[in-house]
């Protein structure tokens, strides 16, 4: 299925996996619209992506914002959502309010934006959400993310049935080198990536481009729906 001229919205398309995904859809000659909260990230990303890309401010946790966003942009062919903030910490230590905030962002944000898109989404198009390998294989401190990622994958199976013929899928990445780890020092981050790389069958952590092509595949392949595509370098096996 060609993506040439198709209108593709990427919520979270201003950084990391989303920004690479925007580039990957551009390479397929799609018309790309990116959205996130920060005006400066939008401006930087639209400059990086170059001509023809539209950028919009959006907080996907707000139903009002989401409704206004689609009212402004109108009909679309595909929706990709990579936005979302998680929470790490041992179950007994992580404050419940932090776990709720993470659900508000990564689970409810994706729920709200997918719901708001329905009237504007071409029925032959697709929705692709984002979960993560911690849904299947949580290390210590990832029980909240395990719950969020599993909830997203459950939602996707339900939506694939309910929104048919629109296809609904989810990408589940392993560890990817993106600005999500910008809060760590370089040394901490490099040590973490080196430790993980040593254990992974593929011998490295992912680059955002590794994950981006999975979103393109899911938008293009008209026979795939209700599926979680795990792209984790073999993390679930170790
Ligand atoms: N990187 C990894 O190792 C990894 C592994 C597994 C799963 N994932 C998942 O993959 C997804 C993307 O991660 P990433 O590494 O690409 O992160 P990232 O580089 O931090 O990008 C996150 C993007 O989401 C946007 N965003 C965050 N909250 C938002 C909100 N409330 N409304 C609208 N946009 C919002 C951010 O822009 P603004 O700040 O401008 O809003 C940014 O564009 C996340 O769901 C993450 O949990 C990542």
């Amino acid at each position: 299925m060609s993506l040439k001229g198709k209108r593709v919205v990427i919520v979270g398309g201003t950084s990391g996996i989303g920004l690479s995904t925007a580039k990957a859809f551009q390479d397929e000659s799609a018309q790309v619209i990116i959205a996130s909260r920060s005006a400066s990230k939008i401006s930087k990303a639209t400059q990086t992506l170059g001509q023809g890309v539209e950028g919009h401010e959006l907080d996907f946790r707000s139903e009002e914002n989401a409704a206004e966003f689609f009212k402004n942009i109108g009909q679309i062919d595909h929706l990709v959502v990579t936005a979302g903030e998680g929470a790490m910490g041992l179950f007994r230590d992580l404050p419940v309010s932090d776990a709720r905030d993470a659900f508000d962002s990564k689970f409810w944000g994706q729920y709200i934006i997918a719901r708001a898109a329905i009237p504007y989404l071409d029925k032959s198009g697709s929705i692709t959400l984002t979960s993560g390998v911690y849904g299947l294989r949580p290390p210590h401190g990832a029980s909240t993310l395990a719950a969020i990622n599993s909830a997203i994958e459950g939602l996707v199976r339900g939506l694939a049935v309910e929104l048919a013929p629109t296809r609904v899928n989810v990408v589940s990445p392993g560890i990817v080198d993106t600005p999500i780890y910008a809060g760590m020092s370089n040394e901490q981050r490099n040590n973490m990536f080196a430790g993980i790389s040593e254990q992974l069958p593929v011998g490295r952590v992912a680059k955002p481009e590794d994950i981006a092509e999975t979103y393109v595949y899911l938008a293009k392949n008209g026979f795939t729906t209700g599926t979680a595509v795990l792209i984790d370098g073999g993390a679930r096996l170790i």
Side-chain angles (χ1 to χ4, degrees):
M1 195 183 289
S2 168
L3 293 172
K4 190 167 182 204
K6 298 291 184 191
R7 280 166 64 78
V8 182
V9 167
I10 301 160
V11 177
T14 62
S15 174
I17 296 170
L19 181 57
S20 273
T21 301
K23 174 82 180 62
F25 275 98
Q26 266 188 330
D27 290 346
E28 298 281 327
S29 304
Q31 218 180 308
V32 172
I33 300 153
I34 57 173
S36 80
R37 293 164 300 181
S38 139
S40 67
K41 281 191 202 170
I42 295 168
S43 146
K44 219 170 139 197
T46 48
Q47 272 170 37
T48 304
L49 293 166
Q51 259 197 341
V53 172
E54 254 181 68
H56 292 263
E57 276 183 48
L58 164 72
D59 186 337
F60 77 158
R61 296 168 298 184
S62 152
E63 281 187 78
E64 292 73 26
N65 261 215
E68 191 63 29
F69 170 70
F70 284 111
K71 212 168 128 194
N72 283 338
I73 63 167
Q75 288 301 118
I76 63 166
D77 296 290
H78 300 280
L79 171 69
V80 169
V81 191
T82 64
E85 291 172 318
M88 288 292 287
L90 292 176
F91 182 68
R92 62 175 167 270
D93 297 335
L94 187 74
V96 171
S97 58
D98 288 12
R100 280 194 203 276
D101 286 348
F103 261 93
D104 272 343
S105 176
K106 192 166 175 178
F107 177 77
W108 285 109
Q110 298 202 74
Y111 183 110
I112 286 167
I113 203 73
R115 192 165 180 274
I118 296 169
Y120 300 90
L121 186 64
D122 191 283
K123 288 211 176 341
S124 66
S126 71
I127 298 175
T128 307
L129 305 184
T130 304
S131 59
V133 69
Y134 288 175
L136 276 180
R137 184 86 165 81
H140 281 263
S143 48
T144 298
L145 266 174
I148 291 172
N149 290 332
S150 301
I152 294 162
E153 292 178 12
L155 174 68
V156 159
R157 287 190 287 275
L159 293 183
V161 172
E162 222 179 282
L163 302 185
T166 301
R167 295 174 302 102
V168 188
N169 294 291
V170 53
V171 174
S172 177
I175 299 297
V176 192
D177 184 0
T178 73
I180 209 170
Y181 301 109
M184 299 170 92
S185 71
N186 282 348
E187 193 189 355
Q188 273 179 324
R189 194 172 52 244
N190 291 342
N191 287 342
M192 180 181 85
F193 287 165
I196 291 167
S197 301
E198 226 169 72
Q199 292 175 44
L200 283 177
V202 295
R204 64 176 178 88
V205 300
K207 299 188 290 286
E209 304 83 65
D210 293 317
I211 315 298
E213 58 189 44
T214 315
Y215 293 92
V216 170
Y217 155 72
L218 289 170
K220 282 178 90 165
N221 189 302
F223 204 63
T224 311
T225 195
T227 294
V229 180
L230 186 62
I231 165 156
D232 70 341
R236 77 206 169 284
L237 303 172
I238 55 169

